[in-house]
Each structure stands twice: as structure tokens, then as C-alpha cells.
């Protein structure tokens, strides 16, 4: 069978024009599908940036909250009630709000301010410059060095700015695993300083972060919080809830799905049609092979091999091209939200197999129907 | 005395049904012997290509038998018939049907590869057959770079590569000029035909009848006569 597959391979790749057209079709389809799903994955990932960066195991919030960006302040008693739940090791408040800072250049820039619990600094980022203790110093803020960092004029330790007529000083530069979705820099400070600097509503706690005593305690904590009229979600559940919001309650998911389906159809059309033409042009050769003594299943293997080989080569090229474009885009546009996930790769792979399957099916039908007698008749 | 290579008995083949029914082969019986060059001759539409297909395991007859090595060809399973075509019959098609995307030697190696010989072994073996047909130096060229006569030789090399008992030529001189056609037939008679092989040639080119041992004449799906080659006796 190896020799037969080698013939199939040579018949395919030596027809350079057709082979190139097949590769272009599948590469293009994979590229588009991977780009679409990667952009969506990037958006979803960044939409949960706060959850990922703070890293708390359990988050308490108002049930109407859909994303970490849209908070509904919790009454102060909720924090006390949560702390009294059996299975809670500790619980701290988290402040999260948008604000406007005035830079030394006089430019105003939107920022996200995250206020960490004063006592524990639970959820603090990893510092790459400065010391975390300095966050307790007067007017102290830690800035996150992510893709939005240059918007604050690349601050250094000691750089000053104004926030709501208050003086702010950068005392540390931190890194986080995920940049924010909305293109605004992030500042960390203490919970109480955030309340002092930013105009507040009656209630100020955006989320309550819980460290459970054990994994088993989570279900009880969730039930007790629900009894209070609020919602406790694990980190994973909160990320999922955020993803679901963007997938199903905004137009993003639908648009990405439509674009992905269009990419698939375009790829299928180009590849299917080219492969069909390839089979038609070689139909008399397949008939001759049949007359010489090739069995039907051998011809089927040849066609399946040709379709699979082309599809996998196109898949590899498509993934490579998408990776290249995303890498170049991220170098040029640091805030570009796209990430190639295993799900994207798996999805594109399945789609490519479907393209290969449909293309082969058309070819196999045609080849199995050809009678060697037709070769004699010319 | 020569051995029997193949016996066709009362072969019938029709196409279509009802008013469109056309009988292409009408109760034809004949024998083919090892060591002979048997021509099937007749005008276009006389049923000679259909007859060729019936005796070579390509087209199933509506009735009649084809006995090869004591077995009825059409009583075999389709896989065994495919094996019969691969191992017992060699085809030289009218348009050669060489693969333009493969080299000449790879074309010749196809039957050997289908017989599951290793790739390198098949190529080495195919080179021997290219040497037999005298175009070993063209082995690595694609068939489209060869002349009509050379392509015919490649087709012959491919047909004999599986060492078939019966070699079938469909209009071998149709695409060749008179001289080249005669040279090919001379070559076949001298180098390819032997006591353990039967060659059946379908043609309507009377210029090559001199190479036939016997000529079966066909018209309207029936045998109208069997002549001795060259002498053309009834």
C-alpha cells in the first residue's frame, strides 16, 4: 500500500498548479478560521483580565454582574456575613473602578484603579520594579506594565500624576498575566486610598474575594452566599460567566461565528472545486489503473490520502500564517487581542477534516463509478 | 502443440433496454493460443472493443463464458477479477493512458507496485522492461517528453511488467505513422511474443495484418470469418 500512496502523492504534488490551488484554498480557510476564533479567544481572555490577575479562588458579587468591568457595589454587611460562613479562611473586599488621571504632560488618561485590601494586599500583582510595602506610602500607586503602559507616558518609580486633584506617585511597576480588554492602563493601590481618591457611591465594595479553607468548602460557601441574595463564583465559573456574556449577550459571538462559517464555506468551495477538477482531469488515469488491476479500495485510499495530505499541509500552512500575522500584529499593536488556543486549533482541524472528507467523497464517488470499459471506448 | 490461453464461448453483450437495446456482441466463440498473435479486425462499431473487454475481465457479458486456466473468469469475485487483470493480462491502450505527472520508469512500475512490490524494487524491475523496449535512457523523463512511438513502447513495457499471459493491444497503430506502427509490431512479434504468451490485437489497420497469426473478422457483433495472418485465407 505504501507504493500506491507514493503514486498518489506524486500524482498530486507533481501537478503543481492544482496542488498550489488546493493548498491556497485550505490555507486561506484555516487562516481565516484560526484568526477569527483566535481574536475571539483573545477578547474573551482579556475580558476576564481582572479575575485572572487578582487570582482569588472565590468571588462574591451581585447576581446581576456579568463581567468584572461592570460592578454593582455590595453593602458592607455582606463582607461581615461572608467572613462568618463556615469554610471561609478569609475574605477581603476588592475595589475596582474607572478614573481619569492627569499626566505631567497635561494629558488626561482613563485608568482602571484596583483597590486591594489594606491589611492583606490579597490579589496583588508581581512587582518587577519597586517594593510592595511602598504601596502604604503616601499617594502610592503601582502601575501595571502591559500593552497600555505607554499611555501613561511610560512612568518610572517616582513619576507623579494627578487623580481627581489628588497627587499620585508611582512606587512600583508590576506585571500581570493578562492585559485589559478596554485599552486602559491599570493602577493598583490600597482599598482605602482608592476610596479617598475616587468619588464613591454609598457602597464601595466591587467584589469580595474569598480564600476557602478547602475545596470542599466551596459548595457550602456558595449556598450560604446565595442565601444572602448574592452570588459566589469560583474563578473558573466567573471567567465562564464573563465569556458567556460576550458570546451570547453581545453581537461579538454571532459575528465571529458567521465569519468563521463564511471562512469554512470559502475554503470548502475553493478546495472542493479544485479537488473535483483534479479528479475529473485524472479520471481516465484512475480508469486505466482500474483496468490494469487496481482494486476499488486502493483507488479510494489514493484519493483519501491525496485529500488528507493536502488538507493537513494546508492546515499547517494556515496555522503558521495565522501565528505569523498575530505575532507581527502584536509587535506593532501591543494591545492586539488575539490568542491561538488549543480549542481554535482543534476547531480548525475538525473543519479541515470535514473539507477533506467532503472533497474526497466527491472524488471517490466519481472514481468508483468510472468503468475501465470507458477507457477502451475512449 | 500450442497450449490454450483462453476460450470464449457464446459471449453475448448488449447495452440498453427495450427500444434502445443494442446487441454489441452476438454469441461469439473462439480460442486464443499461447505463442500466437491474434488480431480482431472489423469496422468501427463492429463490437471488437466490447469483445476485448469481455475476454479481459473488464466488462461482464450478459451470457457466455470466458475460460482461463480451467476457470470461468466471470464466475470469480470482483477482487479476483481485478487480480486476474493485474497478473494475467497486460493492456496497451489506444491512447496509452500514461501518467504525465510520473516519470517513464514510474509509469512502467505501476503494475509492480499494484502487486505490492517495494517501491525501489519496482523501479529497478521497471528499468529492465524499459531496456527490453529500448528506451532505458528515457527512464526519468515524463511521458509527454517522448515521441508517439516511444510512448507506445512505454505502454508496452508497462503491459509486460507484470509478466502477463495475455497481452491486449487496442488499436496499437492508430496514433502512429505507418513506419512507426510497423516497427512497433515487428518489435512486439520479435521480442514480446513467446510460447508462454498470447497477444490479442484489436485493429482496423490492414497494413499490419502481415504480423498476425490469425485474424478474427467481425461485423455487427458477429464473427464473419477467421483468416490466417498474411495469407488471408477463409
Amino acid at each position: 500500500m505504501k507504493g500506491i500512496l507514493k503514486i498518489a502523492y506524486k500524482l498530486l504534488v507533481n501537478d503543481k498548479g492544482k496542488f498550489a490551488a488546493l493548498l491556497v484554498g485550505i490555507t486561506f480557510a484555516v487562516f481565516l478560521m484560526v484568526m477569527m476564533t483566535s481574536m475571539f479567544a483573545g477578547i474573551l481572555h482579556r475580558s476576564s483580565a481582572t479575575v485572572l490577575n487578582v487570582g482569588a479562588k472565590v468571588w462574591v458579587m451581585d447576581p446581576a454582574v456579568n463581567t468584572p468591568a461592570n460592578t454593582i457595589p455590595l453593602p458592607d454587611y455582606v463582607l461581615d456575613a461572608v467572613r462568618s460562613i463556615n469554610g471561609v479562611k478569609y475574605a477581603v473586599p476588592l475595589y475596582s473602578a474607572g478614573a481619569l488621571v492627569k499626566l505631567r504632560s497635561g494629558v488626561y488618561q482613563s485608568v482602571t484603579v484596583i483597590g486591594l485590601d489594606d491589611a492583606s494586599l490579597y490579589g496583588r500583582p508581581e512587582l518587577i520594579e519597586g517594593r510592595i510595602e511602598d504601596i502604604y506610602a503616601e499617594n502610592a500607586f503601582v502601575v501595571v506594565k502591559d500593552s497600555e503602559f505607554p499611555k501613561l507616558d511610560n512612568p518610572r518609580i517616582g513619576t507623579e500624576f494627578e487623580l481627581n486633584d489628588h497627587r499620585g506617585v508611582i512606587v512600583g511597576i508590576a506585571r500581570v498575566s493578562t492585559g485589559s480588554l478596554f485599552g486602559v492602563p491599570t493602577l493598583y493601590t490600597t482599598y482605602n486610598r482608592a476610596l479617598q481618591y475616587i468619588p464613591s457611591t454609598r457602597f464601595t465594595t466591587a467584589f469580595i474575594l474569598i480564600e476557602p479553607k478547602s475545596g470542599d468548602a466551596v459548595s457550602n460557601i456558595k449556598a450560604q452566599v446565595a442565601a444572602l441574595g448574592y452570588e459566589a463564583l469560583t474563578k473558573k465559573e466567573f471567567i465562564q460567566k464573563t465569556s458567556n456574556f460576550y458570546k451570547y449577550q453581545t453581537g461579538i459571538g454571532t459575528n465571529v461565528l458567521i465569519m468563521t462559517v463564511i471562512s469554512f464555506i470559502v475554503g470548502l468551495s475553493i478546495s472542493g472545486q479544485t479537488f473535483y477538477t483534479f479528479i475529473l482531469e485524472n479520471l481516465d488515469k484512475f480508469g486505466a489503473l482500474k483496468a490494469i488491476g487496481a482494486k476499488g479500495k486502493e483507488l479510494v485510499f489514493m484519493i483519501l490520502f491525496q485529500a488528507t495530505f493536502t488538507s493537513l499541509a494546508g492546515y499547517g500552512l494556515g496555522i503558521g500564517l495565522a501565528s505569523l500575522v498575530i505575532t507581527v500584529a502584536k509587535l506593532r499593536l501591543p494591545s492586539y487581542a488575539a490568542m491561538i488556543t488549543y480549542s481554535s486549533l482543534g476547531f480548525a482541524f475538525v473543519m479541515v477534516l470535514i473539507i477533506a472528507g467532503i472533497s474526497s467523497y466527491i472524488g471517490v464517488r466519481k472514481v468508483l463509478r468510472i468503468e475501465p470499459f470507458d477507457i477502451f471506448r475512449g | 502443440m500450442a497450449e490454450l490461453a483462453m476460450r470464449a464461448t457464446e459471449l453475448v453483450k448488449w447495452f440498453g433496454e427495450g427500444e434502445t437495446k443494442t446487441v454489441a456482441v452476438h454469441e461469439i466463440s473462439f480460442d486464443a493460443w499461447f505463442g500466437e498473435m491474434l488480431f480482431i479486425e472489423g469496422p468501427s462499431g463492429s463490437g471488437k472493443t466490447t469483445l476485448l473487454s469481455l475476454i479481459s475481465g473488464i466488462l461482464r457479458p450478459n451470457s457466455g463464458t470466458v475460460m482461463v486456466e480451467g476457470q470461468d473468469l466471470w464466475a470469480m469475485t470482483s477482487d479476483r477479477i481485478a487480480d486476474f487483470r493485474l497478473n494475467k493480462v497486460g493492456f496497451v491502450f489506444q491512447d496509452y493512458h500514461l501518467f504525465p505527472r510520473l516519470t517513464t520508469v514510474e509509469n512502467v512500475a505501476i503494475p509492480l507496485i499494484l502487486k505490492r512490490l517495494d517501491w525501489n524494487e519496482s523501479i529497478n524491475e521497471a528499468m529492465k522492461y524499459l531496456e527490453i523496449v529500448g528506451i532505458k535512457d528515457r527512464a526519468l523523463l515524463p511521458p509527454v517528453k517522448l515521441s508517439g512511438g516511444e510512448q507506445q513502447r512505454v505502454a508496452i513495457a508497462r503491459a509486460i511488467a507484470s509478466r502477463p499471459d495475455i497481452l491486449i493491444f487496442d488499436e496499437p497503430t492508430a496514433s502512429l505513422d505507418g513506419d512507426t506502427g510497423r516497427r512497433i509490431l515487428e518489435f512486439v512479434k520479435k521480442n514480446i511474443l513467446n510460447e508462454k504468451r498470447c497477444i490479442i490485437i484489436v485493429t482496423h489497420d490492414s497494413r499490419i495484418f502481415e504480423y498476425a497469426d490469425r485474424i478474427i473478422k467481425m461485423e455487427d457483433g458477429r464473427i464473419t470469418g477467421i483468416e490466417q495472418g498474411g495469407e488471408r485465407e477463409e
Side-chain angles (χ1 to χ4, degrees):
Chain A
M1 194 57 82
K2 220 166 132 187
I4 292 168
L5 297 185
K6 198 163 177 178
I7 292 176
Y9 169 79
K10 284 181 174 251
L11 289 177
L12 177 71
V13 299
N14 289 351
D15 191 348
K16 291 184 178 66
K18 288 273 182 317
F19 185 54
L22 280 167
L23 279 186
V24 166
I26 294 175
T27 302
F28 188 60
V30 171
F31 170 71
L32 287 178
M33 286 190 288
V34 171
M35 285 302 291
M36 286 295 141
T37 50
S38 298
M39 280 193 287
F40 194 41
I43 289 169
L44 292 184
H45 186 70
R46 286 187 176 218
S47 67
S48 299
T50 303
V51 186
L52 290 163
N53 294 336
V54 171
K57 287 179 183 157
V58 179
W59 295 63
V60 176
M61 65 200 78
D62 189 284
V65 168
N66 288 312
T67 74
N70 303 318
T71 59
I72 298 173
L74 302 168
D76 297 340
Y77 77 86
V78 180
L79 178 60
D80 297 328
V82 167
R83 281 175 170 157
S84 67
I85 293 173
N86 193 20
V88 173
K89 193 173 179 183
Y90 54 85
V92 296
L94 182 78
Y95 181 89
S96 176
L100 210 54
V101 298
K102 186 181 178 187
L103 306 177
R104 292 297 294 258
S105 59
V107 171
Y108 282 89
Q109 170 65 47
S110 297
V111 292
T112 298
V113 176
I114 293 176
L116 301 170
D117 174 51
D118 291 55
S120 64
L121 298 181
Y122 184 60
R124 63 182 175 272
E126 182 191 349
L127 261 62
I128 50 176
E129 277 183 52
R131 297 179 311 154
I132 192 65
E133 305 91 276
D134 291 343
I135 203 168
Y136 295 116
E138 206 174 341
N139 310 319
F141 285 82
V142 168
V143 63
V144 171
K145 191 170 187 179
D146 58 7
S147 54
E148 315 305 331
F149 181 74
K151 291 179 180 171
L152 292 174
D153 293 343
N154 294 308
R156 289 176 296 180
I157 289 177
T159 299
E160 294 183 350
F161 58 86
E162 279 179 36
L163 200 167
N164 205 22
D165 285 340
H166 292 279
R167 176 176 169 266
V169 182
I170 300 298
V171 296
I173 297 174
R175 68 170 160 219
V176 291
S177 62
T178 309
S180 72
L181 175 64
F182 301 106
V184 294
T186 305
L187 294 173
Y188 279 83
T189 189
T190 60
Y191 185 88
N192 283 319
R193 182 171 300 115
L195 293 185
Q196 286 168 15
Y197 276 49
I198 301 168
S200 300
T201 51
R202 181 182 167 204
F203 302 124
T204 53
T205 302
F207 299 100
I208 295 169
L209 312 178
I210 297 175
E211 177 68 24
K213 284 180 180 165
S214 68
D216 298 338
V218 173
S219 56
N220 178 52
I221 293 169
K222 288 172 78 169
Q224 295 292 321
V225 170
L228 291 169
Y230 293 92
E231 190 173 30
L233 297 175
T234 62
K235 181 178 163 186
K236 197 176 167 187
E237 288 168 341
F238 194 16
I239 291 170
Q240 190 60 51
K241 187 177 187 183
T242 307
S243 292
N244 289 344
F245 174 75
Y246 283 100
K247 276 182 203 166
Y248 306 118
Q249 292 181 51
T250 67
I252 300 173
T254 313
N255 285 329
V256 169
L257 183 69
I258 290 170
M259 285 305 295
T260 308
V261 170
I262 290 171
S263 311
F264 171 72
I265 292 170
V266 168
L268 178 64
S269 310
I270 298 174
S271 316
Q273 200 171 15
T274 312
F275 196 70
Y276 184 63
T277 313
F278 172 78
I279 295 291
L280 278 188
E281 282 185 7
N282 285 291
L283 206 53
D284 59 329
K285 306 296 181 296
F286 283 109
L289 276 178
K290 227 173 178 178
I292 290 169
K295 296 182 180 75
K297 64 183 175 194
E298 289 168 339
L299 300 180
V300 170
F301 273 126
M302 284 177 79
I303 291 169
L304 284 178
F305 174 78
Q306 288 171 332
T308 309
F309 178 81
T310 313
S311 301
L312 294 182
Y315 176 74
L317 286 172
I319 298 291
L321 187 62
S323 307
L324 182 71
V325 168
I326 290 173
T327 306
V328 171
K330 280 188 172 177
L331 286 174
R332 308 278 299 178
L333 304 162
S335 57
Y336 182 66
M339 57 187 289
I340 296 179
T341 62
Y342 287 117
S343 307
S344 300
L345 297 179
F347 172 77
F349 186 72
V350 170
M351 291 293 112
V352 158
L353 287 184
I354 292 173
I355 290 176
I358 294 173
S359 304
S360 326
Y361 175 71
I362 298 166
V364 164
R365 265 170 59 109
K366 207 77 192 159
V367 166
L368 288 181
R369 278 185 187 169
I370 178 92
E371 290 294 336
F373 180 56
D374 298 330
I375 301 304
F376 273 123
R377 279 198 298 198
Chain B
M1 187 176 168
E3 282 180 53
L4 185 68
M6 187 268 309
R7 169 166 287 162
T9 309
E10 296 188 342
L11 285 175
V12 176
K13 181 67 190 177
W14 68 76
F15 298 101
E17 292 293 335
E19 287 181 6
T20 60
K21 183 175 173 180
T22 309
V23 181
V25 171
H26 237 304
E27 294 183 353
I28 282 185
S29 302
F30 70 95
D31 294 339
W33 302 88
F34 285 118
E36 81 164 333
M37 212 144 152
L38 176 65
F39 280 36
I40 300 174
E41 183 264 337
S44 257
S46 59
K48 51 191 192 302
T49 299
T50 305
L51 177 61
L52 204 63
S53 305
L54 298 177
I55 61 170
S56 58
I58 278 179
L59 188 65
R60 186 175 287 278
N62 294 105
S63 67
T65 57
V66 177
M67 299 299 289
V68 183
E69 291 179 344
Q71 281 192 296
D72 182 2
L73 171 62
W74 290 109
M76 296 177 188
T77 61
S78 57
D79 273 2
R80 280 200 62 198
I81 292 172
D83 284 337
F84 166 78
R85 289 201 299 265
L86 180 60
N87 296 303
K88 300 289 180 188
V89 185
F91 295 96
V92 180
F93 304 105
Q94 183 177 340
D95 299 325
Y96 319 135
H97 288 296
L98 300 174
F99 290 81
R101 309 289 175 197
L102 301 180
T103 62
T104 295
V105 68
E106 286 165 351
N107 267 282
V108 176
I110 285 175
L112 304 169
I113 290 163
L114 289 176
K115 287 174 97 168
R116 299 286 194 274
L117 256 69
D118 169 65
W119 179 269
N120 291 334
E121 203 182 331
S122 302
I123 295 293
N124 291 337
E125 191 78 2
M127 286 299 271
K128 291 180 193 166
Y129 291 100
L130 281 179
E131 195 168 8
I132 291 171
V133 297
I135 49 168
K136 193 182 173 187
D137 57 328
R138 299 279 198 270
L140 299 178
L141 292 176
V144 286
K145 294 270 174 79
L146 306 181
S147 68
E150 286 172 330
Q151 288 186 34
Q152 177 79 284
R153 283 168 184 257
V154 177
I156 293 169
R158 183 175 68 181
I160 60 173
S162 60
R163 298 181 185 177
D165 297 337
I166 301 167
L167 202 54
I168 287 175
F169 286 72
D170 187 23
E171 301 285 4
T173 55
S175 315
L176 303 175
D177 61 77
D179 280 349
T180 311
R182 272 191 292 277
R183 273 205 304 276
I184 290 283
L185 265 292
E186 261 173 39
F187 172 81
V188 169
K189 187 141 194 171
K190 194 175 165 190
N191 300 287
I192 309 298
L193 183 65
N194 58 48
E195 289 172 358
K196 291 179 179 174
R197 181 172 285 155
C198 167
I199 296 179
I200 301 174
I201 296 177
V202 158
T203 184
H204 57 258
D205 183 357
S206 57
R207 294 171 302 178
I208 60 169
F209 286 171
E210 62 188 280
Y211 300 101
D213 294 310
R214 285 190 303 148
I215 303 168
I216 294 176
K217 297 191 74 177
M218 283 187 71
E219 209 168 317
D220 296 331
R222 298 171 197 273
I223 291 178
T224 55
I226 298 178
E227 297 178 358
Q228 291 301 310
E231 295 169 21
R232 303 177 74 89
E233 283 179 1
E234 198 70 36

